[in-house]
Amino acid sequence: MGDMFRSEKMALCQLFIQQEAGYSTISELGEIGCVQFRDLNVHVNSFQRHYVNEVRRCDELERQMNYIASELRKDGIEVKELIDDLPSAPNPRDISELEATLERVETEISELAQNNVNLKTNYTELKEMCMVLEQTQTFFSDVMDAPSHFGSDDTHAQASCQLGFVAGLLNRERSFAFERMLWRISRGNIYVKRADLEEPLTDPRTGLEVYKTVFVVFYQGEQLNMRIKKVCNGFRSSLYTCPAAHAEREEMLRGVKTRLEDLKLVISQTTDHRRLVLSNTIKNLPRWLVMVKKMKAIYHTLNMFNIDVTKKCLIGEGWVPRNDLENVKQALAAGSAAVGSTLPSFMNELESDQSPPTFNRVNKFTNGYQHLIDAYGMANYREVNPALYTCITFPFLFAVMFGDLGHGFCIFLFALWLVLDEERLSKKRGGEIWNIFFGGRYIILLLGLFSMYTGFLYNDIFSKSLNIFGSGWRVRYNTSTVWTNPSLTLDPVVASVATYPMGVDPIWQLADNQIIFLNSFKMKMSIIIGVSHMIFGVCLSVVNFVHFKKYSLIFLEFIPQILFLILLFGYMCFMMFYKWVKYTPHTHYLPDTPGCAPSVLIYFINMMLFSDSPQPAGCDEYMFVVQPTLEKAFVVLAIICIPWILIGKPLYIMAVRKLRAKRQPISTLGKMDEEGGSHHGAHDEEDDEPISEIWIHQAIHMIEYILSTISHTASYLRLWALSLAHAELSDVLWNMVLSKALTFPGYPAAIALFFIFGAWVLLTIAIMILMEGLSAFLHTLRLHWVEFMSKFYTGAGYAFLPFDFKVLLRSDDDD
């Protein structure tokens, strides 16, 4: 948990690696994944770096493998991803063998692909010719089949009585425009017959299905023949030679069908050979992909290094967690030993003014919560990490809004399945939504558990109550009174005989004033929880001040902020508790009876206005004697805190700057650093900032805190609103859907109940669990990001992104 409390300590390290051991050393560092390298060649063009040729070779290998993978997908073969047993980066000397293998495989597959396209093109042409010959039989059926009547488009008779014709196919959607164009160029001196083909044809190059139309255009004259052919070419139609004689067409059709059968056999044999080649390739392709990606990443990283003047040593820099320094040293030694380097690689720590990256070491459980925090903003280096507390506060605030034992149990069962079967489900690819649910499985598990707990306290299970311990209320009316009155009033003085041991008494399920009671109870509870949450957030700012040695800010910011919050809203929470304790029906003192219980909200408003709070006759004006004096003192102190926040920090910075200006000698300044460095060291970031901007920033900070304290307190009322809405919606769903089916008489009621229960389950899952659950989740996220974390969290850091093969391969898969 020490790592979760704040980010890990980082060290800026300088690596000295022998050039021959550079590749193997970076490969070892990529396997352990604990170094974030800095680019020392920022101003060098990418094409002028030392290992640019190696990167290009890797790009070419990736291109070849992507081409092979695309050909595999065309045949419906998916390239399996390597989950376990990932191969290590290949030896640079073995890359030539891999290049030769991929070159041979690519050439063979590309030749097979081109042959396949050619064969399918021939097959499509023969298929189209066959369809043209079959369809033209009907076109010529009404006219005598004789050469004296028709001539082919190649041998046109000069006699005026002889007609020529052109036959072919074109896309169906172009047929109407095609006819109109022919009509215009011929001025109506043509005759067109066409027929739509019901069976689509497959384009051999794109693989898309295309619907076509067979047409025959009858014309007279050589000039018109040339025009018609130009139009056909313009519309990209396929023209086929079709004999005019019926016997010749029959003979040609038989020949075309014979050639089609022979071509089918050839295509089948070619496809089998192609599948054999691809099946042999797919065995090694996933491993090749991983190996080339690792190799390319290594050379990209080596391009960030500097090379010394002797060109024998690589010099690099990177951030390393201090806990992993020993692992880096072992990787350097392993990389040198792998190539038998005579000079060992070594590492030095550097001093840097740059802020280190933020790294929080997480496990399966804390990973989801850390992602929630990082989505708001990456923490500054060594800043307090809210994820540690969010592990409990997040599911608790969610459960306050989603408190239902039944709905929480459904969420818990779903998350429990994800957790228990996570090893198998982690290999499943279900899309972005599935990845979100699976990644947050431990969050959902706690959301369900906490919802079950608060549902037990609310005594709410699918809008019904459980009488586990026995009600603490007793009905004092006789039987006839109970049967003859639809509703009765229970006097707390005589009807309340005990306190329900845990949670809400189940008798409130039958009460007419249930909503009034729960409304008041949950509203006060949300204010108490909200103020406690915000006080905790303000207190966490002290931890940051102490760690960064900004001790002056404890007095200048923390104390006035916490006083303003406690004196006003903390006091309001105290009045709620005192009101619950003071006023009781079991007393004979009239001012302490429930009828004299005042409104805490009215008290709070009058306290801020310095006005009295009149009460009914016989009741005390205040809950305790010193209340008016105490309230005035609290308001005055709270008002004093406002200028305290505004002017305290700027005046302190001005005083520190004047004190530094008087101490010019370095030795004197060093002595002051030793004596009071904890004070002025806290404001190093403001040293170069003009004092006018400091005043402006502090004024904005003061206004934001004072106004946000009020608005954030009111924002926690969403706990009350969503909890009440969830309970009422669940009650409506029960009464309007399921309870109606339970009143049906006779045997058909069982069938009706079966379908109505299914509808109730569907609505419960869709509305109450998914929609209401998502709404409560988003509101809880907002309460943490805005109301809680804004009190102490800066979130202006940058993440630690180490050179890690596992992260690299996972991100490539996501892309």
Side-chain angles (χ1 to χ4, degrees), residues 11 75 90 148 174 190 348 352 414 439 464 468 488 516 526 531 559 568 590 647 664-665 692 775 786:
D75 283 18
S148 59
R174 298 179 179 178
I190 60 168
N348 292 331
S352 175
F414 172 70
K464 295 301 173 184
I468 300 175
L488 294 170
I516 299 174
S526 64
V531 173
I559 293 179
L568 296 183
L590 179 62
I647 66 176
Q664 292 296 332
S692 59
S775 175
V786 180

Side-chain angles (χ1 to χ4, degrees), residues 533-586:
H533 201 210
M534 289 191 295
I535 289 175
F536 178 60
V538 176
C539 291
L540 283 179
S541 63
V542 179
V543 182
N544 281 331
F545 296 153
V546 173
H547 179 267
F548 294 114
K549 298 181 180 180
K550 299 181 179 181
Y551 303 115
S552 60
L553 295 184
I554 297 177
F555 178 78
L556 298 174
E557 288 192 357
F558 167 70
I559 293 179
Q561 287 178 0
I562 198 68
L563 281 177
F564 183 85
L565 183 57
I566 292 178
L567 293 177
L568 296 183
F569 299 100
Y571 173 70
M572 181 171 64
C573 295
F574 163 76
M575 285 195 293
M576 294 177 186
F577 283 105
Y578 189 79
K579 176 182 175 181
W580 288 334
V581 174
K582 178 179 176 62
Y583 298 96
T584 173
H586 300 285

